[in-house]
Amino acid sequence: MVEQEIHPKEKRGLTTTRIIALGFAAAILVGAVLLMFPFASADGTWTNPIDALFTATTSICVTGLVTVVTASHWSVLGQFIIMLLAQLGGLGVITVAMCVLVIIGKRITLKDRMLIQETYNMDTLSGLVKLIIRIAKGTFLLEGIGAVLYAIVFIPEFGFFQGLWKSIFNAVSAFCNAGMDIVGDTSLRAYAGNPIINFTTMLLIIFGGLGFVVWWNVLKAWKERKEKKRGFAAGLSLHSKLVLIMTAILIFGGALFFFLFEYNNPKTIGNMNFGEKAMASLFQSVTTRTAGFETIPQAGLTEGSTLLTIILMIIGGSPAGTAGGIKTTTVGILILMVLSTIQGKKDTEFMDRRISADAGRTALTVTMLALTVVLSASVLLFATDGLGFQDTLFEVASAMGTVGLTRGITSSLTGAGKLILVCVMYIGRIGPVTLALALALKRKGKKQNRMLPEERILIG
């Protein structure tokens, strides 16, 4: 039944992937127009169209790269527009649209349910509306808790109203992995030694980046461990297990290497005490997973840390969440494929389960396309702006992974350079998602299903 509905819809050009792509594009254009107007800027003047487009794109694509300082260039209304765009980008066009339908009391049709199913790659049509409602409630709950914790620091420092506004904005930005803040022009460097700011930001980033599907699977497994008398891990899906394992390895492994690479570097953590060094290293590892906040200057990183940051930015967070990148599960599947090949296994296996060959092909395709975009955009940026290799690759990887970390060159880019990053941020936000959904669709036709003679090609 699902296939019969999807196939005709493809012919009419209304696939889920196109709806997502057009939805994000429309939101970017509307946001750019609003941000151009004088009411959106702090000094009441019109904002350059390219800067407005760049800001709308970085907000919707929850990236965090900025060409103008968010805290000083935009008025409160402009900042509010940016926050709404980041919220829309973090939750996703489909999720927000369905939430609006639920709020106004409109019936969710079968077509709507199929749209949700494809968006989150679910294997059932039941319980999808409840999932959307839970996602919205969970999002606002975590953002609310984050705002309260931020307020403990910001209200005494900035006063009640300014402190409250900064707390709300930063909580939404952190959970949505947007990476923008309205505290100042140096991100969170002034709070490098503040545990409340650091751990609040890190937890919001991690929860947003895990993926909504993992949230509920973890909660369900925790509740059922006593009811069904089984271990917590036994109640987790294979997807959740891979996400949690990869997330832990990348966060703590990355923190360890940052700690070692930067320990004696006076430009980053060299002058901090041991505890602050450990916290800053952990924060750097977490923020590279598509968040974009910083407590240490990225331009001061050692070459080892710079390379590690680029790798982590490209990997990103997990599927069906607020993070970007090629995703933890993609990298996890590629690693498992390599291990299975080395061990002489025909199938890719993980925790006594076989991973489908389609999943492996999808993971490889997503990775290759992402790397192609990064390399192609880097070449174009070399041509338009003539920047150094590290700066260029770092900036493009940050845009592709929708991270937002920069070595301080974003605002100095040419108009052409900014437009290149706009395109890369857009591809980074919708590319892996739409690509995965497109590859998951079963297409009919003799050319796709025919069996051809096999012939060997030498490899390696």
mmCIF file of all heavy atoms in Angstrom, residues 2-8 10 118 358 436-445 448-449:
data_model
loop_
_atom_site.group_PDB
_atom_site.id
_atom_site.type_symbol
_atom_site.label_atom_id
_atom_site.label_comp_id
_atom_site.label_asym_id
_atom_site.label_seq_id
_atom_site.Cartn_x
_atom_site.Cartn_y
_atom_site.Cartn_z
ATOM 1 N N VAL A 2 1.908 1.239 0.797
ATOM 2 C CA VAL A 2 2.810 2.391 0.859
ATOM 3 C C VAL A 2 3.492 2.611 -0.476
ATOM 4 O O VAL A 2 3.602 3.729 -0.964
ATOM 5 C CB VAL A 2 3.858 2.200 1.973
ATOM 6 C CG1 VAL A 2 4.872 3.317 1.926
ATOM 7 C CG2 VAL A 2 3.167 2.171 3.329
ATOM 8 N N GLU A 3 3.932 1.507 -1.112
ATOM 9 C CA GLU A 3 4.638 1.628 -2.385
ATOM 10 C C GLU A 3 3.720 2.196 -3.455
ATOM 11 O O GLU A 3 4.125 2.999 -4.279
ATOM 12 C CB GLU A 3 5.169 0.265 -2.821
ATOM 13 C CG GLU A 3 6.311 -0.235 -1.955
ATOM 14 C CD GLU A 3 6.794 -1.594 -2.404
ATOM 15 O OE1 GLU A 3 6.387 -2.021 -3.496
ATOM 16 O OE2 GLU A 3 7.564 -2.226 -1.678
ATOM 17 N N GLN A 4 2.417 1.792 -3.435
ATOM 18 C CA GLN A 4 1.486 2.275 -4.433
ATOM 19 C C GLN A 4 1.252 3.764 -4.303
ATOM 20 O O GLN A 4 1.053 4.459 -5.276
ATOM 21 C CB GLN A 4 0.165 1.520 -4.305
ATOM 22 C CG GLN A 4 0.287 0.052 -4.699
ATOM 23 C CD GLN A 4 -0.992 -0.715 -4.432
ATOM 24 O OE1 GLN A 4 -1.924 -0.180 -3.843
ATOM 25 N NE2 GLN A 4 -1.041 -1.957 -4.857
ATOM 26 N N GLU A 5 1.294 4.264 -3.072
ATOM 27 C CA GLU A 5 1.107 5.700 -2.846
ATOM 28 C C GLU A 5 2.355 6.494 -3.232
ATOM 29 O O GLU A 5 2.261 7.552 -3.798
ATOM 30 C CB GLU A 5 0.792 5.951 -1.362
ATOM 31 C CG GLU A 5 -0.585 5.465 -0.924
ATOM 32 C CD GLU A 5 -1.693 6.313 -1.513
ATOM 33 O OE1 GLU A 5 -1.475 7.513 -1.744
ATOM 34 O OE2 GLU A 5 -2.773 5.763 -1.783
ATOM 35 N N ILE A 6 3.502 5.944 -2.925
ATOM 36 C CA ILE A 6 4.748 6.672 -3.156
ATOM 37 C C ILE A 6 5.072 6.766 -4.637
ATOM 38 O O ILE A 6 5.476 7.799 -5.131
ATOM 39 C CB ILE A 6 5.922 5.990 -2.416
ATOM 40 C CG1 ILE A 6 5.744 6.160 -0.909
ATOM 41 C CG2 ILE A 6 7.252 6.573 -2.831
ATOM 42 C CD1 ILE A 6 6.791 5.429 -0.102
ATOM 43 N N HIS A 7 4.818 5.671 -5.367
ATOM 44 C CA HIS A 7 5.249 5.643 -6.770
ATOM 45 C C HIS A 7 4.543 6.686 -7.630
ATOM 46 O O HIS A 7 5.176 7.438 -8.352
ATOM 47 C CB HIS A 7 5.042 4.236 -7.329
ATOM 48 C CG HIS A 7 5.696 4.042 -8.663
ATOM 49 N ND1 HIS A 7 7.046 4.178 -8.860
ATOM 50 C CD2 HIS A 7 5.170 3.750 -9.876
ATOM 51 C CE1 HIS A 7 7.351 3.948 -10.135
ATOM 52 N NE2 HIS A 7 6.223 3.707 -10.765
ATOM 53 N N PRO A 8 3.201 6.808 -7.540
ATOM 54 C CA PRO A 8 2.557 7.843 -8.316
ATOM 55 C C PRO A 8 2.989 9.234 -7.878
ATOM 56 O O PRO A 8 3.076 10.145 -8.686
ATOM 57 C CB PRO A 8 1.060 7.631 -8.019
ATOM 58 C CG PRO A 8 0.942 6.230 -7.558
ATOM 59 C CD PRO A 8 2.222 5.953 -6.867
ATOM 60 N N GLU A 10 5.846 10.179 -6.913
ATOM 61 C CA GLU A 10 7.136 10.501 -7.506
ATOM 62 C C GLU A 10 6.948 11.084 -8.906
ATOM 63 O O GLU A 10 7.612 12.027 -9.281
ATOM 64 C CB GLU A 10 8.003 9.256 -7.597
ATOM 65 C CG GLU A 10 8.500 8.761 -6.271
ATOM 66 C CD GLU A 10 9.299 7.490 -6.417
ATOM 67 O OE1 GLU A 10 9.203 6.828 -7.439
ATOM 68 O OE2 GLU A 10 10.048 7.187 -5.476
ATOM 69 N N GLU A 118 8.509 8.581 6.221
ATOM 70 C CA GLU A 118 9.689 8.666 5.371
ATOM 71 C C GLU A 118 10.735 9.617 5.956
ATOM 72 O O GLU A 118 11.937 9.377 5.852
ATOM 73 C CB GLU A 118 9.284 9.140 3.974
ATOM 74 C CG GLU A 118 8.443 8.120 3.213
ATOM 75 C CD GLU A 118 7.969 8.678 1.885
ATOM 76 O OE1 GLU A 118 8.758 9.378 1.213
ATOM 77 O OE2 GLU A 118 6.818 8.425 1.519
ATOM 78 N N ASP A 358 21.936 -2.809 1.321
ATOM 79 C CA ASP A 358 21.424 -1.496 0.918
ATOM 80 C C ASP A 358 21.907 -0.407 1.871
ATOM 81 O O ASP A 358 22.260 0.695 1.440
ATOM 82 C CB ASP A 358 19.892 -1.504 0.902
ATOM 83 C CG ASP A 358 19.350 -2.254 -0.307
ATOM 84 O OD1 ASP A 358 20.121 -2.470 -1.251
ATOM 85 O OD2 ASP A 358 18.158 -2.630 -0.281
ATOM 86 N N ALA A 436 19.373 9.905 1.559
ATOM 87 C CA ALA A 436 19.034 8.634 2.196
ATOM 88 C C ALA A 436 17.597 8.240 1.892
ATOM 89 O O ALA A 436 17.302 7.077 1.608
ATOM 90 C CB ALA A 436 19.254 8.733 3.700
ATOM 91 N N LEU A 437 16.675 9.218 1.933
ATOM 92 C CA LEU A 437 15.275 8.921 1.644
ATOM 93 C C LEU A 437 15.099 8.518 0.185
ATOM 94 O O LEU A 437 14.350 7.603 -0.131
ATOM 95 C CB LEU A 437 14.402 10.145 1.957
ATOM 96 C CG LEU A 437 14.223 10.484 3.432
ATOM 97 C CD1 LEU A 437 13.505 11.810 3.584
ATOM 98 C CD2 LEU A 437 13.444 9.383 4.139
ATOM 99 N N ALA A 438 15.774 9.221 -0.715
ATOM 100 C CA ALA A 438 15.665 8.897 -2.140
ATOM 101 C C ALA A 438 16.178 7.498 -2.434
ATOM 102 O O ALA A 438 15.589 6.754 -3.210
ATOM 103 C CB ALA A 438 16.431 9.919 -2.968
ATOM 104 N N LEU A 439 17.283 7.110 -1.804
ATOM 105 C CA LEU A 439 17.847 5.783 -2.017
ATOM 106 C C LEU A 439 16.991 4.694 -1.391
ATOM 107 O O LEU A 439 17.035 3.537 -1.807
ATOM 108 C CB LEU A 439 19.263 5.718 -1.442
ATOM 109 C CG LEU A 439 20.304 6.585 -2.158
ATOM 110 C CD1 LEU A 439 21.622 6.555 -1.410
ATOM 111 C CD2 LEU A 439 20.492 6.117 -3.589
ATOM 112 N N ALA A 440 16.199 5.073 -0.377
ATOM 113 C CA ALA A 440 15.358 4.080 0.303
ATOM 114 C C ALA A 440 14.121 3.747 -0.496
ATOM 115 O O ALA A 440 13.477 2.737 -0.275
ATOM 116 C CB ALA A 440 14.960 4.591 1.685
ATOM 117 N N LEU A 441 13.739 4.621 -1.453
ATOM 118 C CA LEU A 441 12.545 4.371 -2.242
ATOM 119 C C LEU A 441 12.779 3.231 -3.229
ATOM 120 O O LEU A 441 13.786 3.174 -3.896
ATOM 121 C CB LEU A 441 12.152 5.630 -3.033
ATOM 122 C CG LEU A 441 11.714 6.830 -2.187
ATOM 123 C CD1 LEU A 441 11.509 8.024 -3.099
ATOM 124 C CD2 LEU A 441 10.435 6.506 -1.443
ATOM 125 N N LYS A 442 11.821 2.333 -3.316
ATOM 126 C CA LYS A 442 11.921 1.205 -4.239
ATOM 127 C C LYS A 442 11.356 1.621 -5.590
ATOM 128 O O LYS A 442 10.172 1.887 -5.721
ATOM 129 C CB LYS A 442 11.148 -0.001 -3.693
ATOM 130 C CG LYS A 442 11.729 -0.547 -2.394
ATOM 131 C CD LYS A 442 10.929 -1.734 -1.926
ATOM 132 C CE LYS A 442 11.496 -2.306 -0.634
ATOM 133 N NZ LYS A 442 10.711 -3.440 -0.139
ATOM 134 N N ARG A 443 12.212 1.671 -6.566
ATOM 135 C CA ARG A 443 11.783 2.101 -7.885
ATOM 136 C C ARG A 443 11.536 0.879 -8.781
ATOM 137 O O ARG A 443 12.292 -0.079 -8.749
ATOM 138 C CB ARG A 443 12.837 3.013 -8.515
ATOM 139 C CG ARG A 443 13.088 4.258 -7.672
ATOM 140 C CD ARG A 443 14.070 5.184 -8.372
ATOM 141 N NE ARG A 443 14.314 6.349 -7.558
ATOM 142 C CZ ARG A 443 13.550 7.425 -7.540
ATOM 143 N NH1 ARG A 443 12.466 7.455 -8.282
ATOM 144 N NH2 ARG A 443 13.832 8.463 -6.775
ATOM 145 N N LYS A 444 10.479 0.985 -9.554
ATOM 146 C CA LYS A 444 10.116 -0.129 -10.421
ATOM 147 C C LYS A 444 10.645 0.097 -11.827
ATOM 148 O O LYS A 444 10.783 1.217 -12.284
ATOM 149 C CB LYS A 444 8.594 -0.271 -10.470
ATOM 150 C CG LYS A 444 7.987 -0.599 -9.093
ATOM 151 C CD LYS A 444 6.490 -0.723 -9.179
ATOM 152 C CE LYS A 444 5.885 -1.034 -7.822
ATOM 153 N NZ LYS A 444 4.427 -1.160 -7.900
ATOM 154 N N GLY A 445 10.912 -0.975 -12.496
ATOM 155 C CA GLY A 445 11.405 -0.846 -13.872
ATOM 156 C C GLY A 445 12.400 -1.936 -14.197
ATOM 157 O O GLY A 445 13.119 -2.411 -13.345
ATOM 158 N N GLN A 448 16.249 -1.201 -13.494
ATOM 159 C CA GLN A 448 16.726 -1.250 -12.129
ATOM 160 C C GLN A 448 16.850 -2.674 -11.607
ATOM 161 O O GLN A 448 17.679 -2.965 -10.766
ATOM 162 C CB GLN A 448 15.770 -0.459 -11.212
ATOM 163 C CG GLN A 448 15.916 1.054 -11.310
ATOM 164 C CD GLN A 448 15.175 1.615 -12.511
ATOM 165 O OE1 GLN A 448 14.437 0.904 -13.186
ATOM 166 N NE2 GLN A 448 15.393 2.890 -12.792
ATOM 167 N N ASN A 449 16.017 -3.579 -12.097
ATOM 168 C CA ASN A 449 15.941 -4.915 -11.517
ATOM 169 C C ASN A 449 16.607 -6.002 -12.363
ATOM 170 O O ASN A 449 16.624 -7.154 -11.964
ATOM 171 C CB ASN A 449 14.453 -5.299 -11.301
ATOM 172 C CG ASN A 449 13.771 -4.372 -10.311
ATOM 173 O OD1 ASN A 449 14.390 -3.930 -9.360
ATOM 174 N ND2 ASN A 449 12.499 -4.086 -10.553
#
